Amino acid sequence: MTLGRHWWPSKGGITLRRRPGLVARPALVGRRLASDAHCRIVFPAVAAAPGTSVITPSQQLIELGHLAVMLALPVALLQALAPLLARALRRPELATIAVRGAWLQLALAALGWAALTQAFVTDNFSVWYVAQNSNSALPLVYKISNLHFGPEVGVGKPKSDVAVVVAWLNEIQKISADLSLLHGAKQAASEIFNADARRIGEYVTPGTISAVITSPPYPNEKDYTRTTRLESVLLGFISSKEELRSLKKGFVRSNTRGVYKEDDDDRWVAHHPEVNRIADAIEARRKELGKTSGFERMYARVAKLYFGGMARHLAELRPLLKPGAQLAYVVGDQASYLRVMIRTGELLADIAQSLGYRLKRIDLFRTRLATASREQLREEVVVLEWPGKEK
Ligand SMILES: C[S@@+](CC[C@H](N)C(=O)[O-])C[C@H]1O[C@@H](n2cnc3c(N)ncnc32)[C@H](O)[C@@H]1O
């Protein structure tokens, strides 16, 4: 247990240092980022008047807890030695010291535990252990116990050789610089829905959308909840496996780990010749290669569910669009399923046209070389227009 060590960031890194008369009170990650090239956390440090100290009651409890834990060690030694001494010196009364020591040990450990728990509960990040293992968005149950969210996000040992905070703050600084460009600009009102785009009709009034700009999932076998798991937990969007499962269920299917028995988005593309051809090609390749795992058996189904989900979204969107509405979908070709090429942009454009959208163009913005097949994978923007009438 590491109590009473104050966490003091310094230019370009974090150092541990004590300063008499000053108490660091970090507000999660400091209040202000320095505008110079260096990354620095600025704490609202409270300066003490000469001869006085500004140690808060919380800080005092931490110091007390620290002392208690340090005292617990000699008491434990005494506890171990007393019965041995009693026997060696033939003085049984000495053994009672061990019993008293056990009670004292309990009291000292309880004091240490209470100090640490209050530091977790009050988000006292001046305690190194709390700064390393907690955050202000963590639910109380995780703060006061050593439970941690699974799967994947847990609290491991801090890696002292990786300057994670500095790298993270550099990114924050870039975001902050971008945002400062907006300073003084007229702000548009915005509303954010944490919802499934395939059910957008439940959230948006018909005939009100002028433009859609989006980067939907690709059929790339990537579990998007995995790539955003850390921030989803830290921001409080997920706090249990059930919530994770319900988030996954609200996603367009793009990987085998996010497919459920009851899924039926594939009916939206049941008669689409190219989607069926791709699914058949994946299944034939699987059999040819003798791949038999549960995930591999699902590849063909995921391809159909993906395009079906996108079709469902585009169909659901139609009544909400204003005539002439412009839409831009950023998508990429994929060959993740046994190297069968999926030209995502072309297929999406075709599905959109079959639903009554007008294809304006497909803009290529980059290509990537597929390492396995050596083919060029296109990343493009499918630009559509809604003419104003449903087919
Ligand atoms: C290619 S990523 C785009 C990421 C985004 N541009 C960004 O920078 O964070 C696709 C995203 O679509 C989201 N997504 C998947 N299915 C969705 C659905 N049915 N409704 C809304 N969003 C969905 C996933 O969370 C994923 O982060």
Side-chain angles (χ1 to χ4, degrees):
M1 204 173 336
T2 319
L3 284 170
R5 288 161 77 194
H6 298 155
W7 188 47
W8 277 97
S10 69
K11 210 179 206 176
I14 291 172
T15 54
L16 284 174
R17 177 150 35 105
R18 274 178 173 282
R19 280 211 198 168
L22 282 177
V23 177
R25 293 206 282 116
L28 185 55
V29 199
R31 285 274 165 77
R32 181 171 68 81
L33 291 174
S35 56
D36 61 22
H38 299 288
C39 204
R40 196 188 303 154
I41 309 177
V42 179
F43 287 82
V46 185
T52 63
S53 157
V54 282
I55 302 230
T56 61
S58 157
Q59 219 66 39
Q60 283 169 354
L61 184 55
I62 287 162
E63 295 298 341
L64 205 62
H66 191 198
L67 188 68
V69 174
M70 287 197 302
L71 278 178
L73 180 64
V75 172
L77 286 174
L78 202 63
Q79 245 182 291
L81 290 177
L84 297 175
L85 278 177
R87 189 182 162 88
L89 303 175
R90 296 179 190 283
R91 291 183 54 194
E93 74 276 12
L94 284 180
T96 58
I97 294 178
V99 179
R100 292 204 183 110
W103 283 109
L104 187 56
Q105 185 73 259
L106 176 68
L108 292 170
L111 193 57
W113 172 83
L116 187 60
T117 303
Q118 73 87 27
F120 270 103
V121 172
T122 58
D123 292 332
N124 190 335
F125 299 114
S126 69
V127 178
W128 174 251
Y129 189 77
V130 177
Q132 289 293 300
N133 296 292
S134 184
N135 65 74
S136 57
L138 203 66
L140 187 64
V141 64
Y142 297 113
K143 282 182 183 165
I144 61 172
S145 69
N146 62 355
L147 276 180
H148 60 188
F149 172 75
E152 279 125 37
V153 175
V155 178
K157 277 196 177 155
K159 290 189 176 176
S160 54
D161 57 341
V162 184
V164 179
V165 176
V166 173
W168 179 72
L169 280 174
N170 277 331
E171 294 306 309
I172 295 289
Q173 204 165 22
K174 283 186 208 157
I175 296 172
S176 146
D178 280 351
L179 289 175
S180 68
L181 294 176
L182 294 175
H183 189 69
K186 208 171 150 210
Q187 302 291 314
S190 58
E191 208 176 339
I192 298 170
F193 300 103
N194 182 5
D196 181 349
R198 295 167 302 170
R199 296 168 57 184
I200 191 170
E202 294 171 24
Y203 303 89
V204 179
T205 314
T208 57
I209 299 179
S210 311
V212 173
I213 302 172
T214 182
S215 165
Y218 313 161
N220 54 5
E221 197 50 15
K222 183 159 147 186
D223 177 356
Y224 288 100
T225 63
R226 220 173 234 264
T227 44
T228 53
R229 188 78 50 91
L230 187 60
E231 52 269 47
S232 300
V233 172
L234 292 181
L235 295 171
F237 291 124
I238 314 172
S239 58
S240 65
K241 277 189 187 175
E242 288 65 43
E243 283 173 18
L244 173 65
R245 197 175 147 85
S246 120
L247 183 73
K248 279 189 176 189
K249 282 194 160 183
F251 276 11
V252 170
R253 307 299 185 244
S254 65
N255 73 90
T256 46
R257 278 148 301 173
V259 168
Y260 300 87
K261 230 182 11 215
E262 63 274 21
D263 286 348
D264 61 357
D265 279 351
D266 48 343
R267 65 198 159 89
W268 286 88
V269 286
H271 304 295
H272 193 284
E274 182 57 10
V275 174
N276 283 319
R277 186 197 66 75
I278 288 173
D280 291 346
I282 294 173
E283 185 58 8
R285 179 78 55 86
R286 180 187 74 75
K287 288 184 176 154
E288 184 188 311
L289 298 173
K291 306 267 185 194
T292 53
S293 79
F295 290 125
E296 287 156 339
R297 283 174 192 275
M298 251 195 292
Y299 285 169
R301 178 158 146 77
V302 175
K304 284 188 186 177
L305 287 171
Y306 170 76
F307 285 105
M310 290 303 295
R312 187 176 143 201
H313 155 71
L314 286 166
E316 175 93 4
L317 193 60
R318 290 178 298 186
L320 316 179
L321 297 168
K322 287 183 182 171
Q326 304 292 303
L327 305 95
Y329 287 77
V330 181
V331 285
D333 289 344
Q334 293 299 328
S336 310
Y337 296 119
L338 307 173
R339 299 190 201 170
V340 173
M341 177 59 73
I342 304 179
R343 298 284 180 202
T344 314
E346 280 174 21
L347 262 170
L348 196 63
D350 192 56
I351 290 170
Q353 285 174 290
S354 73
L355 289 167
Y357 289 86
R358 188 178 299 143
L359 174 64
K360 290 187 77 179
R361 58 182 189 277
I362 300 183
D363 291 337
L364 174 70
F365 76 88
R366 68 171 172 190
T367 56
R368 288 174 294 126
L369 188 69
T371 33
S373 63
R374 312 303 297 165
E375 281 183 275
Q376 288 294 334
L377 299 176
R378 298 159 62 91
E379 207 150 356
E380 32 196 24
V381 187
V382 178
V383 184
L384 305 166
E385 185 177 78
W386 176 242
K389 253 198 297 148
E390 272 186 41
K391 258 194 176 177

